[in-house]
């Protein structure tokens, strides 16, 4: 290899090195990443459980009569707003997507005149007790698989009790709440 050829190769190598170094300096300018004061990444802190949630998960819900004794029909009226997209609450209000719920407590199931109930609900039989209403509102499909009520359910037992206490008031003679 003569010296001329050596120079050519050395030049090429040097040139490449210079180019790469320049690129590094340039890109550092473009992609500026501030150095953290403390090296390392933040790990998500372990979340403290929200007050009451752990308890709610471990203690079983109180029996329905106890919940009903503490229930607030005023709150129930607010929580039952969602039902009104499909149900009338007034006497003689008539059918919407679902049957009128005036006087539903203690009414024979699937009995509102003129409403075409699902077979799932028609096959239940008996009157709407607080227990059955509670189970149905908790999980319509769980209670009556195949029901037409496409409402996912109200999972909070306290809210359900409030709603039931309110529904009970929608009557000419409200049924007495069960004694705890
Ligand atoms: C998306 C519409 C929709 C919503 C929201 C809805 N329902 Fe219904 N509900 C229906 C339909 C439809 C039926 C008839 C079910 C069947 O035939 O299977 C029904 C049936 C019922 C029945 C049985 C009535 C009877 O005459 O036997 C009760 C009780 C009831 N709903 C309560 C509620 C309550 C309480 C809420 C609110 C927490 C609610 N529903 C929300 C559509 C709805």
């Amino acid at each position: 290899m003569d010296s001329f050829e050596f120079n050519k190769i050395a030049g090429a190598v040097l040139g490449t090195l210079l180019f790469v170094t320049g690129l590094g300096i340039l890109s550092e300018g473009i992609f500026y990443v501030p150095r953290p004061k403390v090296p390392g990444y933040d790990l998500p802190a372990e979340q403290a459980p929200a007050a009451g949630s752990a308890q709610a998960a471990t203690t079983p819900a109180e029996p329905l009569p106890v919940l009903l004794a503490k229930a607030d029909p005023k709150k129930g009226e607010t929580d039952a707003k969602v039902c009104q997209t499909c149900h009338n609450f007034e006497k003689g209000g008539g059918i919407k997507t679902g049957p009128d719920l005036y006087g539903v407590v203690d009414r024979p199931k699937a009995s509102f005149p003129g409403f075409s109930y699902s077979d799932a609900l028609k096959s239940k039989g008996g009157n709407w007790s607080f227990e059955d209403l509670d189970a149905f509102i908790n999980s319509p499909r769980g209670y009556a698989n195949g029901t037409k009520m496409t409402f996912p359910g109200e999972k909070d037992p306290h809210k359900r009790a409030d709603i039931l206490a309110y529904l009970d008031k929608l009557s000419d003679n409200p049924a007495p709440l069960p004694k705890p």
Side-chain angles (χ1 to χ4, degrees), residues 79-80 82-83 85-87 89 97-101 104 107-112 115-118 120-121 128 133 136-137 146-151 154 163 167:
D79 288 334
V82 54
C83 321
T85 39
C86 298
H87 290 287
F89 284 163
T97 309
D100 197 323
L101 291 184
V104 74
R107 184 167 88 185
K109 288 170 197 165
S111 69
F112 192 79
F115 186 80
S116 154
Y117 289 92
S118 65
L121 212 57
W128 278 118
L133 284 170
F136 184 53
I137 297 167
T147 178
K148 286 191 199 170
M149 176 151 137
T150 55
F151 171 72
E154 172 52 67
I163 291 173
L167 288 182

